Amino acid sequence: MYRARALQSITQRSFTRLLSKDKKYESGDILIEYTPYQDDTEFSVPSYPARKNESEERLRARLLYQSRKRGISENSLILSTFFAEVGPTLEREILEQFDRLLNLPDSDWDIYYWMTGKDLPPPPFDNEVMAMLQEFAQNKEMKDRTRQPDLPDS
């Protein structure tokens, strides 16, 4: 009983209400005025560095790894199974499109919606590799793609 009263008393005393119009916090008998934090600095994502003179073997190995680590698990499943199945046969130009898709967009959900056809990809990503991914994501053969493929032994 004592414990219940103590918790109720603490809860009542620590109850805080925000009065946004007045920019004040009211907590029990205490009134605190505050100034909201304002940060005027701009944030920019650094541009993706072009990898010049990267061998095709190294590019494929990097894309295989990166396709497994693209944010949300839904993307990782689609991208890694796609690359495991068709990555070894892709031409250099398609590999570079896939590289840009993995590294340029900020939002994982945008990539997911583009691949699944929920949204149309913007012009830089509306390309051959996206068409291949959209076809792959439909999974017309009903293949089990519930886990990422194993990495090859090195």
Side-chain angles (χ1 to χ4, degrees), residues 107-125:
S107 172
D108 296 323
W109 284 106
D110 285 345
I111 297 171
Y112 179 75
Y113 291 144
W114 300 338
M115 290 188 301
T116 58
K118 182 172 175 151
D119 286 342
L120 294 175
F125 304 107

Side-chain angles (χ1 to χ4, degrees), residues 48 51 54-67 79 82-104 125 127-130 132-133:
Y48 180 64
R51 298 173 190 262
E54 183 176 35
S55 71
E56 197 166 305
E57 179 183 356
R58 185 173 179 95
L59 175 62
R60 286 182 199 281
R62 180 172 57 78
L63 293 177
L64 176 65
Y65 178 78
Q66 287 181 333
S67 68
L79 293 168
F82 169 80
F83 199 76
E85 285 187 29
V86 301
T89 61
L90 294 177
E91 298 174 11
R92 179 76 184 211
E93 181 184 344
I94 306 295
L95 290 172
E96 290 171 359
Q97 290 176 6
F98 190 68
D99 185 20
R100 287 190 297 273
L101 176 68
L102 290 177
N103 292 293
L104 290 178
F125 304 107
N127 52 31
E128 209 172 333
V129 77
M130 183 57 69
M132 294 170 73
L133 278 164

Side-chain angles (χ1 to χ4, degrees), residues 85 116 131-145:
E85 285 187 29
T116 58
M132 294 170 73
L133 278 164
Q134 289 171 338
E135 179 72 25
F136 184 82
Q138 290 178 13
N139 197 12
K140 292 177 182 174
E141 300 87 28
M142 300 299 289
K143 292 183 180 179
D144 181 17
R145 296 180 179 153

